Amino acid sequence: WYHKPVIDEELLRSLPNLKIVASSGVGIDHLDLNLLSRYGVKVSNTPFIVSNDTADLGMALMLASSRRLVEGYEMAVSPDTEYFPADWLGAEVSGATLGIVGMGTIGYKVANRAKAFEMKILYHNRNQRNKEEESAVGAIYCKKIDDLLQQSDFVLLSVNLTPQTHKLIGKRQLQLMKPTATLINISRGLVVDQDALVEALQNHVIKAAALDVTYPEPLPRGHPLLKMKNVIITPHIGSATKKTRRLMMENMMESIQAGLTGLPIPNEVL
Amino acid sequence: MGGGELPGLLVNEIGGIHGILHGHVAFLKKHFYLITMKEFLENKKHMSEKVQAIYLWWHKPVVDQELLQSLPNLKVIANSGVGMDHLDLKLIASFGVKMANAPRAVSSSTADTGMALLLASARRLVEGYHLAISSDTDYCEADFLGVEVTGATLGIIGMGRIGYKIALRAKAFEMNILYHNRTHRKEQEEQAVGATFCETIENLLQQSDFVMVVVSLTPQTHKLIGKREMELMKPTATLINISRGAVIDEEALVTALQTGVIRAAALDVTYPEPLPRDHALLKLKNVIITPHLCIKTDKTTYMITKEAVENILAALNGLPMPSEVLPN
């Protein structure tokens, strides 16, 4: 649960009867699959259960960031506020261009939602989706991530963390983005070069960021990202709803029970 | 002599707290001779005959009998935004002055605001932000949970243009959509968003996980949502208001939130705005208040001014106005 306890060689050696590790959530970047395989331990995750909530949170972050919801809240409740100035404005979501990096289950659900806001949708993925899937959400494939970055008002990251996606968004990618663009991360902190992000935000290379994930979590208390007005951070709550967490737990139970009785394991990670 | 050929347009002020946005001035000056209230009051004799139109920005200038009487050539008043509750429509009509609002410009942006508040409240985004940046945080609470949006039931009270755009957005979140309105929408419109009409507001309140209030403020909708209505809502439900503060009984809301009668509220509008700094609503953890964001984007504010100018020019040229508002 939340990637704990840490599974290392020492732990595996001390548990001779361990049959299965059930991991909450969909990401498995915190597990050494080769190591677990060597010890004959099976692994499961909870892939599809988390998709709706995570897509919802991606939309929540995009809307909150563009409309300056958190800043607005602070103005609305601040003891110093006497009036709401007319020239205090945010940016429009409806009709803007959303670039989705990683069009898996979660990315596709984000596209579905964004379409209802009349957004123009671009996406970058290892593989192109088929024509029906693309036209259902009006999404245009960008074979090169650079094309997506240059045209998007919002760049949303919904890839899983692999050696290929580690620091996928670095200084070069941030500089390709529009200075009016917002970066939204609902994948893993390590997909973004965090130091480059800080610099890009400080120098107005991009306009804003909204991050449900960072590296580490939580960030050290003096970290510059915590103080920036144009950054919203949430504490990795992509799947944090009562209903979904309960379903996750039930899924994990099913996987564990199957693993212990030698039956085929639902949501096994191979 | 100033003014030339262009018709005089009276505005409250340019820039400042509630004034016309600086970025809109050039566009307005293309079509009108701009006169601020200050200029008008300093030089009434000279200015009063020049004013053919008034452009209201954030409900100013206040249009009362005195102002109307002092503007003999006034033909049209254009309101930024869609709500007209701050204007005495009958009084204005009695002077033979036409009125317009800006319904097309505001709808997407306001619908976006409604969805932003719904999502932020459901997922406890503001609380989560404070937790994430707090100097006390050295761990992530595993039991920090919100409520689901996908698949939940949204009850829309007021299914006009804005309410309908909310329904379109909510449908993409696979929400079950109920609505209550003075009139039934056409069947095709209902089907397009999968919305079910609730004849009674009680019916909607009892079934909804999220109640979104999108009505215009009229004597009939004043305190539409009071103690009784909140008690009909589920204790797990969220109330979202993007209409006018006075549509909700705020005192009853405070009690309902404090005693768990409803789960949470998200308010883009209050009465008054801003609330007094010691108001109970400002301190409740389960309330998000935003400073009347609804149309506050560069794009929408500009579209509002464009829509207003279209209406004013149509009225001055004796043509049909795209968004005329009649006194009834």
Side-chain angles (χ1 to χ4, degrees):
Chain A
W1 197 257
Y2 270 108
H3 313 171
K4 301 243 168 49
V6 173
I7 312 281
D8 55 15
E9 184 125 37
E10 194 184 330
L11 184 66
L12 290 172
R13 274 208 218 103
S14 62
L15 300 171
N17 294 323
L18 181 66
K19 304 222 172 14
I20 177 166
V21 169
S23 184
S24 63
V26 61
I28 37 125
D29 46 281
H30 54 287
L31 294 171
D32 185 338
L33 298 179
N34 287 328
L35 178 68
L36 284 153
S37 176
R38 275 193 280 127
Y39 278 79
V41 175
K42 304 233 180 242
V43 178
S44 72
N45 62 353
T46 60
F48 303 112
I49 283 287
V50 302
S51 322
N52 285 328
D53 280 355
T54 310
D56 288 354
L57 188 75
M59 294 298 296
L61 286 173
M62 178 165 64
L63 285 159
S65 179
S66 71
R67 304 302 296 272
R68 300 172 69 189
L69 193 139
V70 175
E71 280 181 271
Y73 168 81
E74 312 218 296
M75 187 194 304
V77 305
S78 160
D80 304 324
T81 294
E82 292 173 7
Y83 57 83
F84 298 151
D87 59 355
W88 189 96
L89 303 173
E92 197 100 357
V93 167
S94 278
T97 299
L98 169 63
I100 300 174
V101 180
M103 192 77 133
T105 308
I106 294 169
Y108 195 74
K109 284 185 184 257
V110 172
N112 255 316
R113 286 148 177 72
K115 178 171 190 283
F117 288 75
E118 300 159 60
M119 296 187 88
K120 177 175 177 200
I121 300 168
L122 308 173
Y123 77 101
H124 175 73
N125 206 38
R126 275 171 304 188
N127 310 303
Q128 189 168 359
R129 285 236 175 196
N130 68 45
K131 281 217 166 351
E132 286 87 31
E133 290 173 332
E134 282 185 343
S135 43
V137 295
I140 298 166
Y141 184 57
C142 289
K143 194 166 171 134
K144 294 193 291 176
I145 197 176
D146 293 20
D147 291 333
L148 180 150
L149 296 169
Q150 285 169 322
Q151 298 178 71
S152 300
D153 300 305
F154 299 93
V155 174
L156 185 142
L157 307 176
S158 45
V159 290
N160 43 10
L161 178 61
T162 65
Q164 293 75 38
T165 62
H166 183 263
K167 290 196 178 170
L168 177 68
I169 305 295
K171 183 172 177 165
R172 191 183 83 79
Q173 288 73 26
L174 292 162
Q175 281 175 340
L176 284 168
M177 286 170 65
K178 296 183 181 182
T180 50
T182 302
L183 180 70
I184 301 143
N185 192 2
I186 52 169
S187 58
R188 282 288 180 272
L190 285 172
V191 172
V192 176
D193 177 343
Q194 223 162 242
D195 293 336
L197 177 62
V198 170
E199 209 186 307
L201 289 163
Q202 284 169 338
N203 297 332
H204 311 292
V205 169
I206 65 171
K207 186 177 79 164
L211 317 168
D212 187 43
V213 288
T214 58
Y215 187 77
E217 278 167 19
L219 288 168
R221 294 297 88 187
H223 199 283
L225 282 173
L226 301 182
K227 301 187 201 74
M228 293 175 165
K229 278 215 162 300
N230 53 347
V231 176
I232 295 179
I233 302 181
T234 45
H236 202 147
I237 50 175
S239 63
T241 66
K242 294 189 174 115
K243 204 162 154 191
T244 294
R245 287 290 165 83
R246 172 135 201 123
L247 286 169
M248 275 162 72
M249 191 264 303
E250 286 173 3
N251 274 20
M252 288 160 75
M253 281 295 298
E254 273 177 41
S255 299
I256 291 171
Q257 282 172 329
L260 296 181
T261 54
L263 290 167
I265 298 168
N267 300 320
E268 181 171 5
V269 179
L270 301 161
Chain B
M1 231 172 68
E5 302 280 351
L6 295 175
L9 178 68
L10 180 65
V11 298
N12 196 48
E13 57 174 336
I14 295 172
I17 301 171
H18 295 123
I20 300 285
L21 298 178
H22 283 290
H24 298 189
V25 170
F27 173 65
L28 289 168
K29 282 187 168 173
K30 265 206 282 213
H31 301 282
F32 307 105
Y33 172 60
L34 280 187
I35 303 167
T36 65
M37 275 304 282
K38 184 163 182 282
E39 288 166 344
F40 169 69
L41 293 169
E42 281 170 358
N43 200 351
K44 253 190 183 165
K45 206 152 169 255
H46 178 73
M47 294 292 183
S48 62
E49 284 177 1
K50 292 192 183 302
V51 176
Q52 294 189 47
I54 301 178
Y55 181 30
L56 295 176
W57 192 256
W58 285 109
H59 313 174
K60 300 221 171 63
V62 173
V63 177
D64 53 16
Q65 176 118 328
E66 192 188 330
L67 184 66
L68 290 165
Q69 274 168 343
S70 60
L71 301 171
N73 293 322
L74 179 66
K75 296 191 179 47
V76 57
I77 296 173
N79 184 45
S80 57
V82 65
M84 301 289 272
D85 47 278
H86 53 288
L87 291 169
D88 186 337
L89 305 181
K90 288 204 160 66
L91 175 68
I92 295 167
S94 73
F95 279 80
V97 175
K98 290 187 187 285
M99 294 166 286
N101 62 355
R104 282 172 293 142
V106 306
S107 32
S108 290
S109 180
T110 309
D112 288 357
T113 303
M115 292 304 293
L117 284 173
L118 186 157
L119 285 159
S121 180
R123 302 303 294 271
R124 299 173 65 192
L125 193 142
V126 176
E127 276 182 88
Y129 168 78
H130 287 131
L131 193 66
I133 64 158
S134 154
S135 48
D136 301 327
T137 296
D138 51 12
Y139 61 89
C140 276
E141 285 179 36
D143 62 353
F144 182 91
L145 301 175
V147 297
E148 272 204 345
V149 169
T150 294
T153 299
L154 170 64
I156 301 174
I157 301 177
M159 192 75 132
R161 237 193 198 98
I162 297 168
Y164 195 73
K165 288 213 170 194
I166 289 168
L168 283 166
R169 283 148 179 70
K171 177 172 191 279
F173 288 78
E174 296 165 59
M175 296 186 89
N176 173 33
I177 300 168
L178 308 172
Y179 77 102
H180 177 72
N181 205 37
R182 277 171 302 190
T183 55
H184 226 119
R185 280 250 174 187
K186 298 198 208 105
E187 200 176 325
Q188 297 146 295
E189 292 176 332
E190 284 185 341
Q191 277 173 11
V193 295
T196 306
F197 183 67
C198 288
E199 187 88 43
T200 63
I201 200 178
E202 288 80 7
N203 207 315
L204 178 150
L205 294 168
Q206 284 166 325
Q207 298 180 72
S208 299
D209 300 304
F210 297 92
V211 175
M212 175 106 55
V213 184
V214 201
V215 293
S216 42
L217 178 61
T218 66
Q220 292 75 38
T221 63
H222 185 261
K223 288 199 179 165
L224 179 68
I225 309 293
K227 178 173 196 271
R228 188 181 151 274
E229 287 71 31
M230 291 177 217
E231 280 171 359
L232 285 168
M233 285 170 67
K234 295 182 183 183
T236 51
T238 306
L239 179 65
I240 301 133
N241 190 5
I242 54 167
S243 58
R244 284 287 181 270
V247 172
I248 293 184
D249 179 343
E250 275 174 0
E251 254 182 67
L253 179 62
V254 171
T255 307
L257 289 164
Q258 283 170 338
T259 57
V261 167
I262 64 173
R263 183 196 75 101
L267 315 169
D268 191 44
V269 287
T270 58
Y271 184 76
E273 267 168 39
L275 287 168
R277 297 294 87 190
D278 56 358
H279 200 283
L281 281 174
L282 301 185
K283 303 185 193 72
L284 293 172
K285 271 207 165 302
N286 51 352
V287 177
I288 295 178
I289 304 181
T290 47
H292 209 141
L293 296 179
C294 57
I295 52 94
K296 286 184 174 167
T297 68
D298 293 296
K299 185 175 166 189
T300 294
T301 49
Y302 197 72
M303 278 166 50
I304 289 171
T305 292
K306 275 180 72 179
E307 198 166 343
V309 168
E310 265 178 53
N311 277 288
I312 294 169
L313 292 176
L316 296 183
N317 292 314
L319 293 166
M321 291 159 65
S323 18
E324 183 169 7
V325 177
L326 298 168
N328 48 324

